[in-house]
Amino acid sequence: MLRLIKLKIQNFGRFLSNMIMPNISIFIAWGMMNALFMPLGWQPNKTLEQLISPMIFYLLPILIGYTGGSLISGSRGGLIGSITTIGVITSTNIPMLLGAMISGPLGGWTIKYFDKKIENKVKNGFEMLVNNFSLAILGILLAIISFFTIGPFIEWVSYFLGTLIQIILSYNLLPLTSIIIEPAKIFFLNNVINHGIFSPLGIQDALDKNHSIFFLIESNPGPGLGLLIAWFFFGKGELSKSSGGAALIEFFGGIHEIYFPYVLIKPKLIIPLILGGMSGIFILVLLHGGLISTASPGSILSILAMTPKGLYFSNIISVACSFLVSFISSSILLKYDFNTIQKDSNYTVKQGKNSFNSKTSREDFNNFNFSKIKTIIVACDAGMGSSAMGASILRKKIKNANLNHISVLNMAINALPQDADLIITHQNLTNRAKDNAPFSQHISLKNFLNNHFYDNLVKKLVENMVFLYDNHTDSVNKYTQQKKDALFQLNEENIILNQYASNKEEAINIVGKHLVKQGYVKFDYIDSMLEREKMASTWLGESIALPHGTIEAKDSVLKTGIIFCQFPKGVRFGEDVDDIAYLVIGIAAKNNEHIMVVSNITNALDKKDTIQRLSHTTSIKEALSLLTMEKI
């Protein structure tokens, strides 16, 4: 029950922060323009000052509304989220960032519900008409509703929060917020706190004072830096060896997640973080410090860039004070700690009911399936900080080992594909990762900088590839020779060029109809392809999608066939806006007869220049020659 509640809170917080984080650069641009062109800025300019207000009152809320809607229902959700947000913007005279965080998702949920209700009920040829008018009409209705309800409600909430904050400040209680903030950060809620709570509050506060203390409460790197430096001098075990580099990354790179493992392995170190955070906030209140806009990431460089003229002394003293308090208290706890420190439990491998720690023997790792790993995803809450570092380390080791067939990605947990090969996450986030990708193999880390783990992982991947090559190449070649005459052969009629589809469902229908037309499948196989797409996207990356039917649809396959469709204008297949497929390959497989054809196509598509040529060629013969060449 507690795990479920924790997961719900994390997911809700992650959703809030995911609306803000893609637009952080706009916050930074607004802050820099404030620092430069406002009357108290470095280069006051009345003409350029006119650019500042529209950004915070119109641009940012609309972008947040679009992002919130698109998280729910793609580009259509984003568009109707933007229209709905206009209602809350025009209903009040305050920045509607919080309003946009409600109206954007509301629009997304509404259009998603509508689209589900009319699915497969619109006659052919009327899809574009229905799509455009439904979005426009629903957008108008939601804008009116938000104008009369959401906008006034957020205005009241803002007034209430402002009054509450003034009471907290008048009684000097703001430093006590560290008792909640610092522990919450350790459980990867740092982005939620900073971007979901303090950024909207800070924007409102900065409009009145030209700066806000709220921008520096969570993003202060001082407490984390103090803890890491204390680990460097007084810590023991493997973590102490990496703490120096981690301190540089945390302070100058602004990736606070890097010190979380050091606290989780010794929970008492949360006390120095709280004390450091409290002292930093106390100095900010005492000296009236603060930033002009969001500092993201929480690097000292970002903080200095967002510091308005005249507040450098107070902000630097705040960071320095929080560092000293955290360092001294952490040093005392580490130096006089007589408990046994767990030295080598830096990671755990989990697969189903099996669990392995860093001392696991090589024989135990043989139970872990490395044979089909082509994509390794390093994931964290936001997909930007610790996961980016871990992916960078692993990517270099993969490259040095010449494992060119394996790609290493980093992404947010909520964006994980359900059929990912291998996913690496922090142990506190693994359960969430498993919920999003239940059929993947998962590795749980305590330290994303654990080079020893990455070395062992790469070693096992190399060993597995050698094993596969030595033991299976001959049998595959023999099978190929025996079955070559019986295999499906790709020819010109299987290649369809210059197609157009407004969405992936239309593209799948086009591919499916050609499979039916050429006698490979029954007509109901198309429904199976669409059903399979709902389970998990068949987007492969690199401009390619590979739609196919479900296992239950095997009876609808008459004979093995492949249809290669080119969509020069592209079709969105994946979760992200940039997941555009120009090449859509439909497969109908009888037994395993399609394997060699797919293998040859995969070889061809391994090169980006080949994909580019296939995406834009007007010659079927050229496309066929590229797809059937076994060595490109």
Side-chain angles (χ1 to χ4, degrees), residues 36-169:
L36 288 170
F37 306 133
M38 291 295 283
L40 299 177
W42 292 98
Q43 294 291 330
N45 189 305
K46 289 186 177 180
T47 302
L48 296 179
E49 183 185 342
Q50 299 176 68
L51 297 172
I52 299 174
S53 182
M55 290 183 70
I56 198 64
F57 280 93
Y58 296 99
L59 178 61
L60 267 169
I62 291 173
L63 286 175
I64 292 171
Y66 179 88
T67 307
S70 63
L71 288 172
I72 303 297
S73 189
S75 59
R76 276 172 63 79
L79 290 173
I80 195 169
S82 301
I83 299 172
T84 308
T85 303
I86 287 294
V88 298
I89 291 174
T90 53
S91 64
T92 68
N93 294 320
I94 63 174
M96 271 289 119
L97 303 186
L98 290 174
M101 294 169 75
I102 297 175
S103 58
L106 173 63
W109 281 114
T110 303
I111 201 68
K112 183 178 182 179
Y113 178 80
F114 176 83
D115 289 344
K116 189 174 181 179
K117 284 295 182 182
I118 66 167
E119 188 176 9
N120 300 324
K121 295 180 181 178
V122 180
K123 292 185 178 181
N124 292 336
F126 289 86
E127 293 88 354
M128 184 176 292
L129 183 69
V130 173
N131 287 342
N132 288 339
F133 274 85
S134 63
L135 196 149
I137 294 170
L138 288 173
I140 293 171
L141 292 174
L142 289 174
I144 295 172
I145 292 171
S146 63
F147 179 87
F148 287 107
T149 59
I150 299 176
F153 172 73
I154 294 299
E155 187 173 32
W156 178 85
V157 169
S158 298
Y159 174 79
F160 173 78
L161 290 177
T163 304
L164 181 62
I165 290 167
Q166 290 301 321
I167 294 172
I168 292 173
L169 290 174

Side-chain angles (χ1 to χ4, degrees), residues 309-493:
K309 188 177 180 180
L311 295 184
Y312 282 98
F313 176 77
S314 57
N315 288 350
I316 292 173
I317 290 296
S318 171
V319 173
C321 183
S322 60
F323 160 73
L324 287 173
V325 172
S326 177
F327 171 73
I328 294 171
S329 51
S330 297
S331 299
I332 293 172
L333 290 177
L334 288 170
K335 186 174 182 180
Y336 298 102
D337 181 17
F338 297 102
N339 295 326
T340 301
I341 297 178
Q342 189 178 358
K343 294 181 179 181
D344 294 314
S345 60
N346 286 327
Y347 64 88
T348 304
V349 180
K350 295 183 178 178
Q351 182 188 14
K353 295 181 180 179
N354 298 324
S355 177
F356 310 107
N357 59 33
S358 64
K359 292 184 179 180
T360 302
S361 65
R362 294 176 63 191
E363 289 75 23
D364 287 333
F365 275 100
N366 289 333
N367 295 325
F368 197 76
N369 186 4
F370 292 97
S371 62
K372 296 181 180 180
I373 293 178
K374 293 184 179 179
T375 301
I376 300 175
I377 298 174
V378 185
C380 66
D381 186 61
M384 298 183 184
S386 51
S387 64
M389 287 190 306
S392 178
I393 294 171
L394 181 57
R395 194 177 294 116
K396 290 178 182 178
K397 294 182 182 294
I398 290 284
K399 182 178 180 181
N400 292 338
N402 294 318
L403 297 173
N404 298 321
H405 68 288
I406 298 177
S407 60
V408 181
L409 310 171
N410 67 283
M411 63 177 60
I413 285 178
N414 66 293
L416 287 173
Q418 292 190 2
D419 54 354
D421 297 330
L422 178 63
I423 298 171
I424 301 173
T425 53
H426 188 276
Q427 64 177 12
N428 283 354
L429 301 174
T430 301
N431 287 330
R432 282 176 56 191
K434 286 184 175 181
D435 289 339
N436 284 277
F439 305 111
S440 302
Q441 299 182 105
H442 292 265
I443 294 181
S444 299
L445 280 172
K446 284 189 177 180
N447 180 9
F448 276 105
L449 297 182
N450 190 344
N451 278 283
H452 180 66
F453 159 71
Y454 295 119
D455 289 336
N456 282 343
L457 176 60
V458 171
K459 187 175 183 180
K460 291 304 298 182
L461 290 168
V462 171
E463 289 175 355
N464 184 74
M465 288 308 300
V466 172
F467 172 80
L468 285 177
Y469 181 81
D470 290 343
N471 291 278
H472 296 290
T473 301
D474 292 340
S475 60
V476 170
N477 288 338
K478 187 181 293 185
Y479 172 83
T480 302
Q481 186 64 36
Q482 291 174 351
K483 299 291 182 178
K484 188 172 182 180
D485 294 334
L487 286 176
F488 163 82
Q489 298 293 317
L490 191 71
N491 54 53
E492 291 186 7
E493 70 175 352

Side-chain angles (χ1 to χ4, degrees), residues 237-292:
E238 291 294 326
L239 283 178
S240 65
K241 298 177 182 178
S242 62
S243 58
L248 292 175
I249 294 171
E250 195 267 348
F251 192 61
F252 292 104
I255 302 175
H256 291 200
E257 293 93 337
I258 200 167
Y259 70 76
F260 296 174
Y262 297 83
V263 182
L264 291 169
I265 200 171
K266 295 186 71 63
K268 66 175 68 178
L269 291 178
I270 193 66
I271 297 173
L273 289 177
I274 292 173
L275 295 176
M278 290 175 66
S279 61
I281 296 173
F282 176 78
I283 295 297
L284 287 174
V285 174
L286 182 67
L287 301 180
H288 305 288
L291 303 179
I292 194 68

Side-chain angles (χ1 to χ4, degrees), residues 200-222:
L201 291 176
I203 291 291
Q204 183 66 41
D205 193 36
L207 288 176
D208 299 328
K209 304 176 183 175
N210 200 39
H211 70 275
S212 176
I213 191 175
F214 297 117
F215 293 130
L216 195 48
I217 290 178
E218 186 279 333
S219 59
N220 184 354

